[in-house]
Each structure stands twice: as C-alpha cells, then as structure tokens.
Amino acid sequence: MHSTVIYIRKALTDRKISYAKLSELISEDESKLKRILGGSQQMTLEMRDAIFDVLDLKMLDHLPYDLHPKDVMEIWLRMPHKMQHSLFIHMHAINRVVEDARKQEKE
C-alpha cells in the first residue's frame, strides 16, 4: 500500500473520521474512496490534495520514503567532496525553508 494512503488512513483513525464523513467532506463517492484507501484503486493527485485540505495534512509532515542512516552515510562517503559540499548547502537551505513554513503555520 502506498505510504500516502497509509498516512491518510492513520490521520482518519487518529481523528476518528469515518470514510463516510470523509467522502462527504470531499464530495466523492464513498465506495470509490474505500477502494482507494483499501489499496485496490489508484488515487489521483486531485483527490490527494482534497483529502489533505479537509484533514489539514501537510506534505512537509509526510515523507513517502524511509532512508536508514547507515544507507545515507554509505551514499555520503561515496560522493566526491565537491558534491558533498553542494548537497550540504542545499540541505541547509531546504531546512531553513521548512522551518520558515512551519513558523508560518503556527501564526
């Protein structure tokens, strides 16, 4: 099952929102929603965005992949020094953007 579907299902469970209620909130057929969240049908980007909007989910809080720190270190050590430096600068810039976005969400 796709990690986005798992993320949505967890949010529904945590908030005690039924598929029926969600289908009403996003104006979508409940049986279609069940097929999608059951993993038997693909979700469109439009539906994902609608669900994220009504549940107030943030893409920043959902990363659809999991990297083990050991794997990251192995990749890092294989990179040329200039590439490491460039990647570090980009990671720092991304971190600042994420921090700013989270601060704005709290305001």
Side-chain angles (χ1 to χ4, degrees):
M1 189 170 301
H2 194 276
S3 61
T4 302
V5 171
I6 294 168
Y7 181 56
I8 291 168
R9 288 175 56 157
K10 183 174 179 347
L12 292 172
T13 301
D14 292 348
R15 299 169 191 199
K16 296 178 175 57
I17 297 174
S18 67
Y19 288 168
K21 180 64 178 173
L22 179 61
S23 69
E24 179 185 314
L25 291 171
I26 64 170
S27 301
E28 189 61 66
D29 181 61
E30 183 180 351
S31 62
K32 180 179 179 180
L33 184 64
K34 285 181 178 179
R35 288 191 305 273
I36 290 169
L37 295 180
S40 63
Q41 184 175 335
Q42 294 279 332
M43 181 184 322
T44 65
L45 294 175
E46 291 81 10
M47 181 181 279
R48 183 209 56 200
D49 291 346
I51 293 171
F52 271 51
D53 285 345
V54 299
L55 296 179
D56 195 30
L57 299 175
K58 307 289 184 238
M59 287 302 291
L60 288 175
D61 297 331
H62 167 63
L63 298 176
Y65 52 85
D66 183 29
L67 284 176
H68 191 277
K70 182 180 175 184
D71 297 332
V72 173
M73 284 305 299
E74 184 176 336
I75 293 168
W76 179 264
L77 293 172
R78 291 180 181 205
M79 286 182 191
H81 179 72
K82 286 183 179 182
M83 188 181 286
Q84 288 175 343
H85 181 72
S86 178
L87 182 59
F88 182 76
I89 289 169
H90 284 90
M91 288 170 45
H92 180 68
I94 290 168
N95 187 51
R96 291 183 65 191
V97 170
V98 169
E99 286 177 2
D100 290 347
R102 287 188 173 144
K103 285 178 188 175
Q104 288 178 353
E105 286 178 5
K106 291 180 182 179
E107 294 174 355

